[in-house]
Amino acid sequence: MSQSTTPYPVLPVLGRGVLAGGVAGLVSGLFALLLAEPLMDRAIELEEKRSEGGGHAHAPAAEELFSRGTQHAGLVVTAVVVGLAVGVFYALAHLAVHRADALTRRPWERALTLAGAGFLALSLLPALRYPANPPGVGDSGTVTQRQSLWLAALVIGVLGMVLARQLHRRVGAVGHGAPARQLAAAAAVLVTLGALFLLPGNPDPVPVPAALLWDFRVLSLAGHALLWAVLGTVFGALALRHAARNGPASEGEPEEAAALL
């Protein structure tokens, strides 16, 4: 029995993405403020000491344009703005992937799966190649190079997720079960990771104590994970609410073979 499909209404989905992204940005911003910001303060102190040790001890201290309190508030505001932008792109990706399906078909699973794919493509895989560094690390002359490498890592991560989804779909289309589909997707992820490590390494040394560097990188990645988790959860909850208002999906209907995203 065939199932009719209803295209997604674009504006409501975008609205859910914006709301979910704003909430996710606020939560991740507060997380960074409470846990990561103290590490950033320590890293800034170390950078100042390194500058003094480099012969700048008698140079006049640069006057800060904003106090640390204002900078902390700006951190949260910036996180919310980033969350809103990520929410819009997340909603657009959701529309692109599920453009022909009604919102009542597994909205919770699809929201969380897409958020997990976004975290993997845009946060985890690039961070494995270019982990986050505390403030003050990096030569100003290599900023353009580092930005280009990070952008290349993001593009490779996204292409890797597209490859994983396509393999998942094609393996399922020829009649293989979930284990084969999942192994094919995992192989695509491993290939993506290998491609990332073909990129040049970080051009700058990281003169930061190992413990501080590890804590900063773990908290940075945890903040990304929290952003994507809250984004997927809120978006999925809003989609479930929409599905409840419009009636549940028909039981027993066949799902498409590819359910990676």
Side-chain angles (χ1 to χ4, degrees):
M1 180 173 60
S2 63
Q3 179 179 356
S4 61
T5 58
T6 303
Y8 277 7
V10 175
L11 290 181
V13 175
L14 287 176
R16 280 188 283 275
V18 170
L19 179 57
V23 173
L26 177 61
V27 172
S28 65
L30 293 176
F31 173 85
L33 178 63
L34 295 176
L35 296 179
E37 190 66 13
L39 293 179
M40 294 179 66
D41 290 339
R42 288 172 55 193
I44 291 173
E45 292 176 2
L46 290 174
E47 173 62 18
E48 291 175 349
K49 290 180 180 179
R50 286 197 301 271
S51 297
E52 293 175 358
H56 301 288
H58 300 289
E63 183 179 355
E64 292 186 346
L65 294 177
F66 302 100
S67 66
R68 288 301 291 161
T70 302
Q71 293 175 25
H72 291 164
L75 170 67
V76 177
V77 173
T78 301
V80 172
V81 173
V82 170
L84 291 172
V86 172
V88 171
F89 284 109
Y90 174 90
L92 292 174
H94 206 281
L95 286 165
V97 172
H98 305 304
R99 57 187 176 274
D101 295 330
L103 283 171
T104 52
R105 294 185 63 192
R106 298 183 295 110
W108 177 258
E109 291 85 350
R110 287 184 164 181
L112 293 185
T113 303
L114 183 59
F119 169 71
L120 189 61
L122 298 174
S123 297
L124 180 59
L125 290 177
L128 291 176
R129 184 66 183 98
Y130 301 116
N133 289 325
V137 173
D139 188 347
S140 59
T142 63
V143 170
T144 301
Q145 180 183 359
R146 285 183 279 124
Q147 289 176 342
S148 299
L149 291 175
W150 180 252
L151 179 60
L154 295 181
V155 172
I156 291 175
V158 171
L159 292 177
M161 289 304 98
V162 173
L163 174 63
R165 182 173 186 268
Q166 290 302 316
L167 285 176
H168 190 278
R169 291 172 61 92
R170 291 180 181 277
V171 171
V174 297
H176 293 288
R181 298 199 304 269
Q182 292 164 3
L183 287 173
V189 173
L190 291 177
V191 169
T192 303
L193 185 60
L196 285 170
F197 275 88
L198 294 177
L199 294 174
N202 191 326
D204 297 322
V206 186
V208 177
L212 174 61
L213 182 62
W214 172 258
D215 290 343
F216 181 85
R217 287 176 172 176
V218 168
L219 286 176
S220 176
L221 192 58
H224 281 254
L226 186 62
L227 173 72
W228 286 103
V230 174
L231 174 61
T233 299
V234 175
F235 189 93
L238 293 173
L240 280 176
R241 180 182 177 186
H242 172 89
R245 290 201 307 264
N246 291 274
S250 300
E251 296 184 1
E253 294 291 349
E255 294 288 351
E256 62 183 273
L260 179 62
L261 292 178

